[in-house]
Amino acid sequence: MDFGAVTCGNAGNGVHVDAVDVSGLDDAALDLRLRRIGQARNRLEGFLAEVVAEKTRRSSSFDAANSLKAELRQSRHQADRTMRDAEQLDKLAATRDALVDSRINTEHARILGTAAQNGPLDEAKMLAAAETQTPEQLRKTVRDHQNEMAGDDGAKRFERQRKARTARFSERDDGMWQLFALFDPVAAARIRKSLNKATDDWRTDNRREHTADRHRRADALERLITRTISADGSEQPQGTTLLLMADYDLVDDKLGRPRLADGTPLPPSEFHRLACDADILCGLFKEANTEPIWMGSTSRHPNFALRAALEARDQGCIGCRKEPEWCVAHHIVEWQHGGPTQPDNLVLVCHDCHQKVHHRNWKVEKHPDTERNYLRPPWQEPPKPSAVVPTPLRM
C-alpha cells in the first residue's frame, strides 16, 4: 500500500491539520477540524497496523512489541492492544484499507477484527454496515450476523467465549487501580449474582446508608475478593500477605513515612488500622536505595524475610515495573555457578524480563547515580555517573 502522506489540505489522499489558534474558530470550523483530525488519526492507525504486522513477520511479536515500547513509548498494555489490532487487521485487508481511507474509524475496525477472530464473518457485508452505522449499532449487527451464520445451538460461540476469558489489574495515571475482566455468560451470571447480593447486604448497613451505589459496589467486590465469610457470618482476611513499610525514628521513638511495598504513601490513620493485626519484621537498609544490609539464605529460593526485603527494595520488576506478585527472584550470579541467595545477588524480574536476561543478553546493572538495579538492553550504552551520593544507614 502507498502510504501517501498525512499532510495539510485535502490534496490526494492527504489530510491537512494545521496548528492554529482554535479559540478564533466558529462552531462549523471546529467541527471541520475534528473531522480532519479524525481522518488523520484513522489513517495513521491503519498505517501503524501495517507496519507492526510487517515488523512481526520479519522478526517476532516479541521484537515488535519492544519496538512499540521503545519507539512510540507505549506501555505494556498499549503495546499489547496495538499488537492485537495489527494481527486482526493483517487478516482483514479490506477493513484496514477502509480505516486508512477513513470510511470507518478504529472502533469499527476493532469490532470487525474481534468478530473475525471469534467466528464466521462476511467482511464485505459487515464493512458496508460499518460505513453507515455507529459502533454501538455495528456490535449488534455483527452479533446477529454471526449467530445467523453459525447454524448451531450456540455451543461453538460459548466455547469461544470461554477461551476469551481474561482478567488484568493495572494502575491508572491518577494512582488508582483498575480491574478489567471478561467472562462467558454463565460465569458472568454467577459473579453478577454474588456481587449484587454483597452490594445489597451493605445497603441495609446503617453505617453505609449514605454511600453511593458505585462506591458500595466497589466495596462489595473488594470484600468478596479479599475476605472469607465463616459459618457464623464473621469475616476473616484471605490467606495472603500485604507488605507495609515504615521507618523507625530512633530519636522520636516512632514510626514514620508509612507506605506500601511499591512505595505508595499511606495516610497514618490507614497504616495504623492495617497494622493492628500485622506481624512486625525488622530490617536494616541503606537509605539511598533500600538495599538490605544482610538477610542471607542457604537455599536457592529466598525465605519470607528476604523476599519481603527484595519487594521493599525493587518494588516490582526492575525491567518493566510489573507488580512484585508476578516476579521471581533472579540470581545475578547463577545459583548453580555459586551465586549466593543474598540481597546483593538477587533482583525481582517478571517472566518476560527473565527471558530477556537469560535468552536475549539483557544485563542486570546498578545505576551509577541512584545505585538501583535496572535492566540494560544489549544495544544501549551504560549511563555515565554524575555525582556520587553517600548512602547513610537507616533502621
Side-chain angles (χ1 to χ4, degrees):
M1 178 185 299
D2 180 12
F3 274 25
V6 180
T7 58
C8 302
N10 287 323
N13 290 327
V15 178
H16 186 66
V17 183
D18 280 326
V20 299
D21 182 6
V22 297
S23 62
L25 301 179
D26 59 20
D27 286 348
L30 288 174
D31 288 342
L32 175 61
R33 191 164 185 81
L34 284 174
R35 189 180 312 119
R36 288 181 175 174
I37 289 173
Q39 291 170 348
R41 177 186 290 179
N42 295 334
R43 189 168 177 79
L44 286 173
E45 287 292 335
F47 291 158
L48 176 61
E50 192 168 26
V51 171
V52 171
E54 181 63 23
K55 176 78 174 179
T56 302
R57 280 191 291 269
R58 292 188 183 186
S59 53
S60 67
S61 59
F62 181 87
D63 290 336
N66 276 332
S67 293
L68 289 170
K69 296 172 188 175
E71 303 302 332
L72 272 64
R73 303 183 67 181
Q74 289 192 346
S75 68
R76 176 169 54 87
H77 294 307
Q78 282 181 304
D80 288 345
R81 181 166 187 171
T82 303
M83 293 290 297
R84 184 168 61 250
D85 291 345
E87 180 185 4
Q88 292 174 349
L89 289 179
D90 193 42
K91 300 174 182 177
L92 298 173
T95 300
R96 187 187 61 212
D97 291 348
L99 179 60
V100 170
D101 294 339
S102 203
R103 289 182 281 125
I104 62 173
N105 63 28
T106 53
E107 194 168 0
H108 290 116
R110 287 193 180 111
I111 292 171
L112 296 180
T114 301
Q117 284 190 327
N118 293 334
L121 182 77
D122 185 332
E123 183 184 6
K125 183 177 180 179
M126 290 300 99
L127 189 54
E131 293 181 16
T132 61
Q133 294 182 358
T134 66
E136 292 80 7
Q137 293 170 331
L138 181 62
R139 286 190 182 92
K140 185 177 186 307
T141 299
V142 169
R143 183 171 63 248
D144 293 343
H145 168 71
Q146 290 196 301
N147 286 338
E148 181 181 344
M149 293 188 68
D152 60 13
D153 57 359
K156 291 182 179 178
R157 180 180 179 85
F158 184 76
E159 183 181 354
R160 289 194 301 270
Q161 290 170 334
R162 283 287 296 163
K163 290 181 178 179
R165 66 189 186 277
T166 184
R168 67 173 180 264
F169 199 42
S170 57
E171 187 175 14
R172 304 194 322 175
D173 295 340
D174 59 0
M176 296 286 284
W177 284 78
Q178 180 172 293
L179 176 63
F180 173 83
L182 289 175
F183 301 101
D184 64 76
V186 175
R190 293 196 188 104
I191 294 170
R192 188 174 65 249
K193 284 283 188 181
S194 297
L195 183 56
N196 287 343
K197 182 180 184 304
T199 305
D200 289 340
D201 286 347
W202 284 33
R203 192 184 299 276
T204 59
D205 190 331
N206 291 330
R207 293 171 300 172
R208 302 184 177 88
E209 60 182 355
H210 300 300
T211 305
D213 285 347
R214 60 191 177 92
H215 295 153
R216 187 161 45 238
R217 195 170 182 84
D219 293 342
L221 180 61
E222 185 266 343
R223 180 187 180 196
L224 286 172
I225 293 174
T226 64
R227 307 187 74 82
T228 58
I229 310 299
S230 62
D232 61 1
S234 61
E235 295 184 6
Q236 297 294 330
Q238 294 274 20
T240 55
T241 300
L242 179 63
L243 184 60
L244 307 176
M245 306 291 297
D247 303 336
Y248 179 65
D249 191 327
L250 290 172
V251 177
D252 294 335
D253 190 27
K254 64 179 183 181
L255 294 174
R257 212 165 65 90
R259 59 199 183 278
L260 295 175
D262 64 0
T264 301
L266 286 177
S269 58
E270 181 68 9
F271 179 79
H272 292 151
R273 184 184 71 82
L274 294 170
C276 288
D277 300 322
D279 294 326
I280 305 300
L281 176 65
C282 297
L284 184 65
F285 301 88
K286 292 181 181 179
E287 185 172 15
N289 57 5
T290 326
E291 178 75 46
I293 300 299
W294 178 258
M295 300 181 86
S297 173
T298 58
S299 66
R300 176 173 187 146
H301 301 289
N303 57 29
F304 173 80
L306 180 51
R307 174 72 192 204
L310 294 177
E311 291 188 14
R313 182 194 67 189
D314 294 342
Q315 300 178 1
C317 176
I318 65 168
C320 66
R321 310 311 306 166
K322 188 174 289 187
E323 299 94 320
E325 295 82 12
W326 297 100
C327 295
V328 297
H330 166 71
H331 287 73
I332 301 173
V333 177
E334 291 297 330
W335 169 263
Q336 60 266 32
H337 297 151
T341 305
Q342 295 173 7
D344 56 359
N345 191 49
L346 293 172
V347 291
L348 291 183
V349 289
C350 68
H351 173 74
D352 289 342
C353 290
H354 209 192
Q355 295 295 310
K356 293 177 183 178
V357 173
H358 282 289
H359 302 297
R360 295 181 178 270
N361 204 32
W362 288 50
K363 302 294 183 185
V364 177
E365 296 183 356
K366 281 186 181 292
H367 194 283
D369 292 335
T370 64
E371 293 190 10
R372 296 188 68 88
N373 294 307
Y374 75 103
L375 286 185
R376 182 175 64 84
W379 59 84
Q380 186 181 88
E381 292 294 325
K384 296 181 180 179
S386 54
V388 178
V389 181
T391 57
L393 297 183
R394 172 166 54 86
M395 288 293 291

